[in-house]
Amino acid sequence: MARTGRPRAFDRDAALNAAMRLFWAQGYEPTSLSQLKAVMGDLSTASFYAAFSSKEALFREVIDLYLATYGRVTRSLQDQSLPPRQAVEAALRQSARMQSDGEHPRGCFITLGANNCSPENAHVARLLEEVRRRDRAGIEARLMQARAAGEFPLEFDTKPLATVLSTVLAGIAIEARDGRGSADLDAAISQVMTLWPASIA
């Protein structure tokens, strides 16, 4: 006997959020189309392609969603109302708290979401690489800004410290994924911030 009644409404936002969590937990290549369709509301193949065109197009949307929500933790790097040190420290501490939160997949989607792609999907990995590059550039810019403002000596080379800080930012993802708690990460960030030269202003 044929079913009657209106079909279940498709909640695109809920489906996109579910896809984000799956990609976040597993990464781009290990996540199959069948897994995506299942978590996104048991979508048919036709419905999936009608709504999102392709797995890669969906992944691009997921990146935008993550940056607009969980990924906001590094926006302090671009906030010119914050002093440079405060901007960098806020990005590190907020990232640590978010990534160690058990309410969603642990770690950072931008760091872990496509780090095991095969050569044919290298362009997908580069999507996340570009976001990481922007964060690194943000750290470098804030250090140069601090030096220009006289917060530490003009002869101080900002590049090594920028590399250390960006490495810590990326490394938080691995520690959080491995179960490191927010208190431990916060204490580590306090230790790292002692590398920031004492102000001479």
Side-chain angles (χ1 to χ4, degrees):
M1 182 176 178
R3 292 189 300 173
T4 60
R6 299 178 63 184
R8 184 175 58 185
F10 170 54
D11 188 334
R12 196 179 195 283
D13 290 341
L16 192 59
N17 199 300
M20 177 181 69
R21 288 171 174 260
L22 186 60
F23 278 131
W24 191 348
Q26 297 186 171
Y28 180 76
E29 282 200 355
T31 300
S32 68
L33 184 59
S34 61
Q35 288 176 317
L36 287 166
K37 291 188 297 180
V39 302
M40 295 170 74
D42 291 322
L43 296 180
S44 67
T45 300
S47 295
F48 176 87
Y49 284 113
F52 300 102
S53 301
S54 68
K55 176 182 171 181
E56 181 180 329
L58 171 63
F59 191 72
R60 290 173 181 269
E61 283 199 53
V62 162
I63 294 173
D64 291 339
L65 175 61
Y66 181 87
L67 293 176
T69 54
Y70 299 101
R72 291 172 60 89
V73 290
T74 60
R75 286 194 178 182
S76 61
L77 295 172
Q78 312 303 326
D79 185 351
Q80 295 302 314
S81 70
L82 295 176
R85 180 187 175 111
Q86 184 180 342
V88 172
E89 187 169 2
L92 294 174
R93 294 194 190 279
Q94 291 169 8
S95 293
R97 284 195 294 270
M98 182 277 288
Q99 293 183 50
S100 57
D101 187 346
E103 294 299 312
H104 50 69
R106 295 173 68 96
C108 173
F109 169 71
I110 300 300
T111 301
L112 304 173
N115 61 355
N116 57 348
C117 283
S118 55
E120 56 265 32
N121 284 316
H123 64 288
V124 176
R126 284 195 291 271
L127 296 173
L128 300 186
E129 181 184 341
E130 177 57 33
V131 179
R132 295 193 298 270
R133 187 178 295 114
R134 290 201 299 266
D135 281 343
R136 286 196 295 270
I139 291 172
E140 292 170 0
R142 299 319 296 262
L143 278 165
M144 293 174 66
Q145 184 180 30
R147 184 177 62 185
E151 292 186 23
F152 39 83
L154 287 175
E155 65 271 16
F156 178 76
D157 186 357
T158 61
K159 289 183 179 179
L161 181 55
T163 299
V164 169
L165 293 169
S166 62
T167 299
V168 170
L169 182 60
I172 288 171
I174 303 299
E175 292 295 322
R177 178 62 61 92
D178 287 348
R180 185 77 64 183
S182 60
D184 285 345
L185 292 171
D186 211 49
I189 291 166
S190 294
Q191 186 67 35
V192 168
M193 291 306 298
T194 64
L195 298 174
W196 192 287
S199 174
I200 63 171

